Amino acid sequence: MSRLKQFNWSGWLFFGLLLLAWEFGARGAPKLQLYFPPLTRVLAALLASAQSGPLIGQLMITVGRFLEGYLLSVAIGVMLGVVLGYFRLAHELLETLIEFLRPMPSVAIIPVAILMLGISDSMIVAVTVYATVWPILINTIDGVRHIEQVLVQTGRSFGLSKARILWQVILPAASPYIVTGLRIGLSIALILVTTAEMVAGSKGLGFFILDEERSMNSGNMYAGIIVVAALGYGLNRLFLTVEARVLKWHHGMLARQAA
Amino acid sequence: MASRHAGAAGGIKMRWTKLRGIVFFIGLIAIWEIASRSELLNPLVMPAPVRIFDVFSDLVASGQIPWQILVSMRRAAAGYLLAAAVFIPLGIVMGLSQRIYCLFEVAVEMLRPVPPPVVIPVAMLFFGLEEEMKIFVIFFSCAWPILLNTLDGVRSVDWVLRNTARTFGLSRLKTIRQVILPAASPQIMTGLRVSLPITLILVVISEMVGSTDGIGYFILDSQRRFRVVQMYAGMLSLAILGYTLNQLFNLLHRVLMSWHWGMMRRME
């Protein structure tokens, strides 16, 4: 559908002008170049470090940690969310704990994780999981709660087993909510991986960017940022594509209801 | 026990379920306390909650935690308010004019996927470890939720409202102030609310990466000096702070938006 949309000439023109202003502004002010190298130099740095390897290596490390943390969060968040959404008692018991922990900025957990796990891969993954589970958990609970009871009861009167009700009724009916949680979790996971790498990493894109800043290699620093942004953009695009596939039935249903 | 309350009014039942959660929570803390004291949990990593609370109240009484929080809050408020002051007007303008929207769209889409913490090194390059560094980082990270929600809010303003304003010959500025802004305000508020926890997170991160004071620095520094109890006390204060800020915002929201809920009720 988006392909039918007209090409945004003015937007790209404006963006191009901004980039040109960057290029020539930096060239015109040599004193500033330490902070603000011309765009072409940043792109050259990007190419050079992509060819000689370090940037690709760091990217792979960050992607690995991200995937590990995100997938774990999805598994934990959805499972726990279904349990807490379905069994009222479980939710009542844990409610106060959740209310206490949730307003605390998740990054505050980093020092604790360092204490328990040292400066390691598992520390970064643990921190990512802690932060990413929240939106997935809360949205899954909401989703399961908002299911029409008629659906579950119909399933029951057809004699479906509990497991089948879970797989064939509850999860599909709650999936639009769950997907919202998964999408929010996606950007949070990337934020947490890069943050943890900055605060206590010796590898990964977050570390690379901060390290290049400290050694005043601003060209490499900007190159790293472009790579992180591209990663974030790519992940989001991938997610939307998968979502459109998986939730096709749901959008179709909504369209039918609207018609 | 529960059956005795089953027939009671809904309010009492609500309170009872709430109480169960609180009892469970206290039970967990008691288990932690016992496990830590009997060294089932390593007390160097997970010190007993009573000790944490002791140190916490000492640090509050000595003014150290309130001071660090004050320092952090000043930065947070500056960045947050600055973002609101810039991006609400920008959102309104972009929402009203398709041409201006197209102009900025690509630039916004290019900058948006940058994870906010990654901006910290750039800010450090320009501002060093000064206040401006943290303020800029918060400003940047609140930009998108505020901008995009304002934009959506303005776009979804009823066309009849806008046309009515035009029919009555309201000037552009007056239309914005008296028609668009009130009609879009629920969504603007959503943007401001979403930005609140983001602000708090980014203050803590930027203080961990590049600062010599503030609550984020305090927590990380305590860990590096192995003052573990103090570290947990700092986290406790952050949890309280996050909770309080949220409640304050809710209160403000209710006061500011009471007309909106009243209108919704009347429409029903």
Side-chain angles (χ1 to χ4, degrees):
Chain A
M1 253 206 297
S2 56
R3 253 179 227 156
L4 291 176
K5 218 172 64 181
Q6 251 180 3
F7 184 74
N8 183 355
W9 286 106
S10 65
W12 281 101
L13 202 67
F14 181 69
F15 184 64
L17 281 177
L18 280 183
L19 294 184
L20 280 179
W22 175 358
E23 175 72 23
F24 289 107
R27 278 185 191 278
K31 267 193 214 149
L32 269 180
Q33 283 188 12
L34 197 55
Y35 311 100
F36 214 50
L39 182 63
T40 41
R41 210 170 297 163
V42 173
L43 293 179
L46 181 63
L47 267 175
S49 52
Q51 269 172 353
S52 63
L55 202 48
I56 302 284
Q58 310 285 19
L59 173 68
M60 284 305 148
I61 290 168
T62 300
V63 169
R65 287 166 175 164
F66 168 85
L67 282 181
E68 204 177 326
Y70 184 66
L71 295 180
L72 258 173
S73 313
V74 172
I76 296 172
V78 172
M79 274 197 285
L80 200 60
V82 168
V83 171
L84 293 188
Y86 196 65
F87 299 103
R88 233 146 236 258
L89 181 69
H91 186 253
E92 280 165 17
L93 288 180
L94 287 177
E95 202 182 1
T96 311
L97 182 68
I98 293 177
E99 272 176 30
F100 179 77
L101 284 178
R102 198 158 76 114
M104 188 183 71
S106 44
V107 286
I109 209 81
I110 293 178
V112 181
I114 297 177
L115 204 63
M116 288 182 179
L117 300 167
I119 293 184
S120 61
D121 264 12
S122 46
M123 181 278 283
I124 293 175
V125 172
V127 168
T128 308
V129 169
Y130 174 81
T132 312
V133 158
W134 287 115
I136 301 176
L137 177 71
I138 304 289
N139 276 291
T140 307
I141 293 177
D142 263 8
V144 174
R145 282 259 170 107
H146 278 88
I147 293 175
E148 281 179 60
Q149 281 306 308
V150 180
L151 282 180
V152 178
Q153 280 157 7
T154 311
R156 242 182 244 149
S157 45
F158 274 98
L160 291 181
S161 67
K162 281 223 153 143
R164 278 188 82 179
I165 289 184
L166 178 68
W167 274 113
Q168 302 190 336
V169 180
I170 295 182
L171 275 181
S175 58
Y177 282 84
I178 297 177
V179 165
T180 306
L182 297 182
R183 191 171 47 218
I184 301 173
L186 196 73
S187 49
I188 292 188
L190 190 60
I191 289 178
L192 261 290
V193 171
T194 44
T195 303
E197 284 172 351
M198 275 195 229
V199 175
S202 52
K203 275 179 286 179
L205 281 175
F207 167 79
F208 175 83
I209 293 169
L210 189 63
D211 193 48
E212 295 299 324
E213 186 270 326
R214 288 195 173 133
S215 42
M216 293 304 268
N217 270 331
S218 54
N220 277 349
M221 180 193 81
Y222 285 108
I225 291 175
I226 292 175
V227 173
V228 172
L231 178 63
Y233 184 79
L235 286 171
N236 204 31
R237 261 296 144 94
L238 189 69
F239 188 92
L240 291 179
T241 314
V242 174
E243 183 198 350
R245 282 268 164 84
V246 175
L247 284 189
K248 209 171 181 183
W249 62 271
H250 175 67
H251 297 308
M253 212 164 69
L254 283 185
R256 221 183 315 151
Q257 272 170 6
Chain B
M1 277 277 255
S3 63
R4 197 141 41 99
H5 291 268
I12 293 176
K13 201 180 167 198
M14 271 280 280
R15 245 174 281 155
W16 170 241
T17 59
K18 187 97 192 159
L19 192 69
R20 229 172 0 196
I22 294 171
V23 169
F24 185 76
F25 181 63
I26 294 173
L28 280 183
I29 291 184
I31 292 171
W32 175 2
E33 178 80 29
I34 294 165
S36 174
R37 279 185 192 262
S38 60
E39 307 207 346
L40 273 172
L41 282 172
N42 184 356
L44 290 178
V45 177
M46 296 204 72
V50 172
R51 266 186 70 209
I52 296 174
F53 201 76
D54 270 355
V55 171
F56 173 72
S57 41
D58 283 350
L59 285 168
V60 169
S62 74
Q64 207 176 342
I65 280 186
W67 170 249
Q68 303 288 11
I69 285 189
L70 195 73
V71 169
S72 300
M73 280 300 92
R74 217 170 37 202
R75 292 166 183 157
Y80 181 76
L81 294 177
L82 200 64
V86 171
F87 289 103
I88 291 177
L90 186 63
I92 291 174
V93 173
M94 282 174 73
L96 287 177
S97 155
Q98 185 65 25
R99 206 175 290 163
I100 298 179
Y101 171 79
C102 284
L103 198 60
F104 284 110
E105 189 203 5
V106 178
V108 168
E109 287 309 312
M110 290 290 165
L111 280 174
R112 203 154 64 104
V114 177
V118 170
V119 175
I120 294 175
V122 182
M124 275 165 72
L125 199 62
F126 280 92
F127 302 115
L129 302 185
E130 300 299 316
E131 289 298 299
E132 290 86 345
M133 184 280 263
K134 292 113 195 168
I135 294 173
F136 177 77
V137 171
I138 295 162
F139 171 78
F140 179 85
S141 53
C142 292
W144 314 128
I146 294 180
L147 179 71
L148 298 178
N149 275 293
T150 307
L151 182 70
D152 267 1
V154 171
R155 281 197 168 169
S156 56
V157 172
D158 200 343
W159 273 95
V160 178
L161 276 179
R162 287 171 70 169
N163 287 338
T164 312
R166 202 177 293 161
T167 316
F168 277 97
L170 256 65
S171 70
R172 230 169 198 219
L173 213 64
K174 255 191 154 172
T175 312
I176 290 178
R177 197 145 13 118
Q178 301 188 342
V179 179
I180 309 267
L181 208 53
S185 59
Q187 272 213 273
I188 298 179
M189 286 307 250
T190 305
L192 290 175
R193 170 204 278 290
V194 175
S195 304
L196 210 60
I198 297 180
T199 303
L200 209 54
I201 290 175
L202 266 294
V203 172
V204 173
I205 299 178
S206 59
E207 286 172 353
M208 281 180 175
V209 176
S211 182
T212 51
D213 55 2
I215 192 71
Y217 168 79
F218 178 81
I219 293 174
L220 190 63
D221 187 56
S222 302
Q223 185 266 320
R224 287 193 176 141
R225 292 166 196 261
F226 285 101
R227 294 188 183 147
V228 177
V229 188
Q230 191 177 304
M231 175 191 85
Y232 279 102
M235 289 174 62
L236 178 61
S237 69
L238 256 184
I240 295 172
L241 179 69
Y243 185 79
T244 317
L245 277 182
N246 203 22
Q247 293 302 62
L248 271 180
F249 189 90
N250 283 344
L251 191 73
L252 193 73
H253 187 230
R254 256 195 306 255
V255 173
L256 283 179
M257 303 299 288
S258 54
W259 63 270
H260 176 68
W261 304 123
M263 208 170 71
M264 296 296 271
R265 227 170 293 140
R266 227 184 312 150
M267 264 158 60
E268 279 169 14

